[in-house]
Amino acid sequence: MMDNLLPEVAAARKSEYGIDPIFLNRWSTRAFSSKAVKDEDLYGVLEAAHWAPSGSNEQPWRFIIAKTPEQRETFLQFISPFNQEWCKEAPVLLLLLSRKVNEAGKASPSHALDAGTAWGYLALEATRRGLSTHAMGGFDRAAAQSALQVPEEYEPQIVIALGYRGDENQLSERNRSREIPNTRKPLSEIVFEGRFPQP
Ligand SMILES: Cc1cc2nc3c(=O)[nH]c(=O)nc-3n(C[C@H](O)[C@H](O)[C@H](O)COP(=O)(O)O)c2cc1C
């Protein structure tokens, strides 16, 4: 099961139980190559995302694609400088939005959760296709909403950088030192049987 790990992942990540390598191989790179992403792959990852489950199958996720120089420039205007610094090389940027109201016009209790599930699906399908992804919460939501003419009932969730992994030497020294898969808390710290552990 643990065969087929990417070399940098095999050195850094170990799962306690046997799981498909795709879960470990997905990690958030910052070094992106300028190699274009084919529409077949771009729409393939979005296809995977939209097969995510959602409350009442409302499918509250929406995606705005930036792939032309003009579209990417518009996105870079609302992305925080600390993210801009590396994500400007990524050939595709995506804004993930979620619809805050359901079909009946009531507040949706699960729009953000559902959008998060779709992001997870997208990231795994990208990994399967040899692509890298990196989610960013660091962007100006109001500016994104206005620049992309997003109606008020949609909430910007994350910007996603999508592309092929690039040369880490293009990164700033600080980001180069972070260009390594991270790890996770032990399961025992986050999984409880029966009830929440008492202090
Ligand atoms: C909702 C969300 C917001 C994030 N925001 C940022 C961000 O603004 N900048 C950044 O460099 N990484 C961001 N990340 C990436 C996380 O730091 C990263 O997913 C986490 O450290 C786990 O690492 P991994 O994705 O490589 O497994 C974000 C991830 C998520 C899911």
Side-chain angles (χ1 to χ4, degrees), residues 46 50 58-65 94-101 103 111 114-115 118 122 150-151 153-158 160:
L46 291 164
H50 101 309
E58 293 257 355
Q59 305 163 61
W61 42 72
R62 300 291 184 272
F63 295 88
I64 300 181
I65 298 171
L94 298 159
L95 177 67
L96 170 55
L97 305 156
S98 61
R99 189 162 186 249
K100 295 184 281 184
V101 289
E103 302 289 345
H111 65 96
D114 298 337
L122 183 156
V150 175
E153 78 231 46
Y154 293 88
E155 183 175 324
Q157 295 292 345
I158 47 170
I160 302 165

Side-chain angles (χ1 to χ4, degrees), residues 21-156:
I22 201 167
F23 294 102
L24 301 177
N25 281 340
R26 183 220 55 80
W27 68 280
S28 301
T29 56
R30 287 189 177 82
F32 282 92
S33 109
S34 57
K35 180 179 169 186
V37 175
K38 292 196 178 78
D39 270 359
E40 172 66 25
D41 288 314
L42 171 55
Y43 281 88
V45 302
L46 291 164
E47 170 81 34
H50 101 309
W51 283 101
S54 60
S56 304
N57 198 21
E58 293 257 355
Q59 305 163 61
W61 42 72
R62 300 291 184 272
F63 295 88
I64 300 181
I65 298 171
K67 59 177 184 173
T68 68
E70 297 74 27
Q71 292 165 346
R72 291 170 66 261
E73 191 45 48
T74 303
F75 270 50
L76 290 174
Q77 305 284 329
F78 57 72
I79 294 175
S80 306
F82 67 94
N83 284 324
Q84 239 178 61
E85 183 189 330
W86 54 267
C87 81
K88 65 181 189 311
E89 305 299 337
V92 180
L93 298 167
L94 298 159
L95 177 67
L96 170 55
L97 305 156
S98 61
R99 189 162 186 249
K100 295 184 281 184
V101 289
N102 61 22
E103 302 289 345
K106 297 230 166 72
S108 161
S110 65
H111 65 96
L113 176 73
D114 298 337
T117 311
W119 144 242
Y121 275 38
L122 183 156
L124 290 173
E125 177 62 16
T127 305
R128 197 184 71 77
R129 290 170 182 257
L131 286 157
S132 278
T133 53
H134 197 135
M136 288 167 263
F139 68 100
D140 183 332
R141 286 159 177 74
Q145 197 120 17
S146 150
L148 306 180
Q149 301 170 350
V150 175
E152 196 269 324
E153 78 231 46
Y154 293 88
E155 183 175 324

